[in-house]
Amino acid sequence: MAIASEGSAPIALDGGRKARGNLTKARIRWVIAALVIVFGIVGGKLIQLGTVVVDSTIEGRARDLITASRPAILDRNGLEMAVDIRVPSLFAEPRRIIDVDEAVEALRGIMPDLDEMWLRNRLTGEKGFVWVKRELSPAQQERIFNLGIPGLDFVTESKRFYPSGQEASHILGAVNIDNQGIAGIERHMDGEDVALLQSLGLARGNELSPVNLSIDLRVQHIMYEQLTDALTRYKAVAAAGVMLDVRTGEVIAMVSLPDFDPNNPISAFEPVDGKQDQRFNRVTSGIFELGSTFKTVTFAAALDSGKVKITDQFDARFGIRFGRFTIDDFHGKHRVLSAPEVFKYSSNVGTIRIMQQLGKDEFRAFLTKLGFDERVPFELPEMRNPNVPEKFSEIVAATAAFGHGLSISPLHMAVAMAAFVNDGYMVTPTVYKRGEADAKALYRPVISPQTSAYIRYLLRLNALEGTGTHMNKAALGFRAGGKTGTAEKVVDGRYSSGLNLNVFTSAFPLDDPRYAMVIIVDEPKPENEQSGTTAGWNAGEVTGRIIQRVAPMLGISPDFNEMIDTNLVPVELR
């Protein structure tokens, strides 16, 4: 037994050691597994906090679109009219924000304009990427970055900047916070190819070529300055103007006042004196009765038909009666007038006689030929249809002959004026640069070169001897000519004798026409006790001051011989 007991003791001891070793190994494995799990959880959380989840949108808008650029817009001489600047914007990923209260307090310390409740709602929940603040300053970006709050990040956007401010606002338009065009040429560009390039992610940095407009910023500045002065000088409620190159149809300048600041486009939606009209472009969207400036149209139609000669005379001794209405002249001569006298004295009676000799149906057909039945084909989206009766009765034709009873835009008239002085070719206007060769491919004859020569003579004659003398005095030396129009405005369905829309249409230099212009001054008051309120006193003088300043810039040399150029006088009248 002793032997047996002595032999079993070593065997039992060895078995206990093995059991204890197995238990230790099992515990180590469990500890390792636990550590792996713990470190996995911690590591996963660190990765979650430290890694930006790849997402192509912020509030449903693709990042390629957010970071996309727009092409720079330049004037015809290469001066910048609109450019992109790069600005930081702050966005958040709420699911990554650990302490919302801390984040709200810290952000409002830097951006106190943010509403606390709004911000808290933005930063709460499991939403994807959301905007917190667009277009930060560099200082704000640095302070927010130094907060080190997880879940906040920045994206660099393009912000549109207009160096000239309001001076070309109705041409350029504006963009919204997403850098999308909402008005003017900016909106037109989006309708062409800019939006497509942005959607394809190809519009970043400087990859888009600049867009050259036909605008001359020097001329634009002077027109803006003079029309702004007109609002004060004549206590007018509005003013507008447009200048075209008569050979190419290029718009050299266009201004409409009141206007808006494209660098702060939201201002365009805020009423001024109870009227929300800052975005209203009077040159393209304004449909007006343009008064006696329309007599130029009547003369062009009549002379071109051959039914009226430049040497004809017309009985303007008495007013013309239509039913219970009698149409007479303002400060009429009450005698027989030659055709040039009808024009320079702006005789309503004589103009009606000329239209009647032409025929009302042929007169109406000529307006269609000029495109007065539809919008002017033009790039700016702010356009309206004209209001011209489809058929003319005798009385409607009579009033239309001197610019009443039908409404067109100033751009319609500017395009027609260009054709009347450029040997008779109508060309579609444009705000983009266009060469003369390209323009000639678009020419559409509307009157003969001979009729155009007659109109140039009449316009210059009016400047020297008629209702355009105030313009000529201001534009001395630059051989300008034009026609006044003083139209009573319609108020509550009736003409108001105290409220006028004053217009002056012009062209210069008439010995070799280059530019046509239309200027409007709305509801002007006398400048002083010696001044009148008809168009020659205000719209005419504004025209002259503009020509006097811009003509030298445009390469036109002065000639102070104020006798009418014999080359302008028709052979029949020499």
Side-chain angles (χ1 to χ4, degrees):
M1 292 183 64
I3 295 173
S5 61
E6 287 175 5
S8 63
I11 295 172
L13 182 60
D14 185 58
R17 289 175 180 171
K18 288 181 179 180
R20 286 194 297 272
N22 292 335
L23 180 60
T24 300
K25 290 178 180 179
R27 288 174 176 172
I28 291 171
R29 285 195 295 269
W30 281 109
V31 169
I32 291 172
L35 289 174
V36 169
I37 293 172
V38 170
F39 279 110
I41 293 172
V42 173
K45 189 64 176 177
L46 289 174
I47 292 172
Q48 180 185 4
L49 293 176
T51 304
V52 176
V53 178
V54 177
D55 191 341
S56 62
T57 66
I58 298 178
E59 295 191 14
R61 183 166 169 78
R63 292 200 188 194
D64 281 344
L65 290 177
I66 293 170
T67 60
S69 300
R70 300 180 68 83
I73 299 177
L74 311 178
D75 88 329
R76 65 185 304 106
N77 300 312
L79 298 178
E80 291 180 337
M81 300 182 71
V83 294
D84 272 4
I85 56 176
R86 306 297 282 174
V87 295
S89 290
L90 176 65
F91 67 92
E93 188 181 2
R95 56 178 170 255
R96 291 180 54 208
I97 295 178
I98 299 171
D99 190 332
V100 173
D101 291 335
E102 177 190 15
V104 169
E105 183 178 354
L107 289 174
R108 292 194 72 247
I110 299 171
M111 300 175 290
D113 57 310
L114 294 180
D115 180 77
E116 181 177 353
M117 185 61 68
W118 176 87
L119 182 57
R120 190 179 303 279
N121 290 335
R122 299 291 281 179
L123 303 183
T124 302
E126 295 296 321
K127 298 186 289 290
F129 295 114
V130 295
W131 289 118
V132 177
K133 178 83 171 188
R134 310 281 292 273
E135 299 178 355
L136 301 173
S137 69
Q140 287 176 316
Q141 182 187 23
E142 182 178 6
R143 292 179 64 189
I144 294 169
F145 178 80
N146 291 335
L147 294 175
I149 298 175
L152 298 180
D153 206 345
F154 305 94
V155 63
T156 301
E157 295 189 86
S158 293
K159 179 182 180 181
R160 207 61 160 161
F161 176 65
Y162 302 91
S164 298
Q166 299 181 205
E167 287 192 357
S169 59
H170 283 290
I171 300 168
L172 296 169
V175 299
N176 61 18
I177 191 72
D178 292 319
N179 220 23
Q180 297 171 317
I182 56 175
I185 203 65
E186 295 278 29
R187 182 176 171 188
H188 176 264
M189 285 164 50
D190 278 5
E192 294 294 306
D193 53 7
V194 171
L196 174 61
L197 290 173
Q198 289 176 337
S199 67
L200 295 175
L202 300 177
R204 297 192 187 91
N206 298 318
E207 293 179 16
L208 292 178
S209 298
V211 174
N212 286 93
L213 299 188
S214 59
I215 304 300
D216 188 323
L217 270 180
R218 303 170 302 170
V219 179
Q220 181 74 19
H221 170 75
I222 290 170
M223 182 179 285
Y224 184 87
E225 180 184 73
Q226 290 300 321
L227 289 174
T228 301
D229 174 73
L231 293 181
T232 303
R233 186 188 296 251
Y234 307 116
K235 301 178 178 62
V237 299
V242 59
M243 182 186 294
L244 299 180
D245 185 314
V246 303
R247 300 174 182 174
T248 65
E250 293 171 296
V251 175
I252 304 301
M254 179 189 292
V255 175
S256 179
L257 302 175
D259 58 3
F260 61 93
D261 183 359
N263 290 311
N264 181 27
I266 194 171
S267 66
F269 295 85
E270 297 171 353
V272 172
D273 297 331
K275 298 180 180 179
Q276 189 172 330
D277 65 350
Q278 301 98 303
R279 289 181 297 155
F280 181 53
N281 186 342
R282 285 166 171 77
V283 175
T284 60
S285 299
I287 303 300
F288 306 111
E289 294 186 358
L290 295 180
S292 291
T293 62
F294 218 85
K295 289 171 182 172
T296 310
V297 177
T298 306
F299 267 77
L303 291 170
D304 200 62
S305 71
K307 295 181 178 180
V308 174
K309 306 294 184 185
I310 194 71
T311 54
D312 286 352
Q313 296 190 336
F314 302 90
D315 187 356
R317 292 175 297 168
F318 311 104
I320 301 176
R321 190 169 184 83
F322 294 91
R324 58 191 180 91
F325 299 103
T326 299
I327 298 176
D328 209 339
D329 287 336
F330 181 72
H331 297 322
K333 300 298 179 181
H334 298 295
R335 62 176 175 82
V336 174
L337 300 175
S338 67
E341 286 179 324
V342 170
F343 194 83
K344 75 177 184 179
Y345 295 137
S346 198
S347 169
N348 294 337
V349 173
T351 305
I352 293 172
R353 300 289 189 202
I354 288 173
M355 184 279 300
Q356 290 174 332
Q357 192 163 311
L358 165 67
K360 64 181 179 63
D361 294 334
E362 193 163 345
F363 178 46
R364 179 64 184 83
F366 185 72
L367 303 187
T368 297
K369 190 177 185 180
L370 294 179
F372 286 180
D373 293 327
E374 55 193 12
R375 299 180 184 184
V376 177
F378 195 52
E379 294 91 0
L380 297 188
E382 294 80 20
M383 306 289 289
R384 284 178 60 202
N385 291 321
N387 184 15
V388 179
E390 186 176 349
K391 293 184 177 180
F392 279 176
S393 64
E394 292 295 337
I395 180 62
V396 169
T399 57
F402 56 88
H404 286 74
L406 77 175
S407 303
I408 60 173
S409 71
L411 186 60
H412 278 99
M413 183 59 77
V415 173
M417 283 293 295
F420 292 161
V421 300
N422 75 357
D423 281 344
Y425 298 103
M426 183 161 280
V427 58
T428 304
T430 181
V431 291
Y432 293 115
K433 284 192 75 172
R434 177 194 286 160
E436 198 166 331
D438 293 332
K440 286 182 177 179
L442 303 173
Y443 277 9
R444 180 171 61 86
V446 290
I447 59 174
S448 69
Q450 180 60 65
T451 302
S452 179
Y454 289 147
I455 297 298
R456 293 196 294 269
Y457 162 71
L458 293 171
L459 292 172
R460 184 63 179 145
L461 178 69
N462 191 53
L464 292 172
E465 302 177 9
T467 59
T469 54
H470 291 286
M471 180 279 299
N472 187 63
K473 184 178 179 180
L476 192 63
F478 293 107
R479 291 95 66 206
K483 184 71 188 77
T484 51
T486 304
E488 294 180 350
K489 297 179 70 173
V490 176
V491 179
D492 296 327
R494 304 184 66 178
Y495 287 105
S496 172
S497 59
L499 299 176
N500 293 334
L501 179 80
N502 288 2
V503 190
F504 198 93
T505 59
S506 63
F508 68 99
L510 282 173
D511 52 347
D512 183 20
R514 289 297 310 278
Y515 304 98
M517 182 162 54
V518 175
I519 294 294
I520 288 177
V521 182
D522 196 356
E523 297 183 20
K525 308 298 185 298
E527 181 180 1
N528 51 54
E529 292 182 357
Q530 290 74 42
S531 300
T533 57
T534 53
W537 290 94
N538 35 73
E541 288 192 354
V542 172
T543 298
R545 288 193 289 267
I546 292 173
I547 294 173
Q548 193 274 332
R549 299 251 332 253
V550 306
M553 295 178 181
L554 298 171
I556 300 171
S557 300
D559 179 354
F560 296 102
N561 180 5
E562 283 303 286
M563 297 294 291
I564 192 166
D565 190 333
T566 55
N567 292 326
L568 286 176
V569 180
V571 174
E572 302 94 316
L573 298 177
R574 294 178 188 174

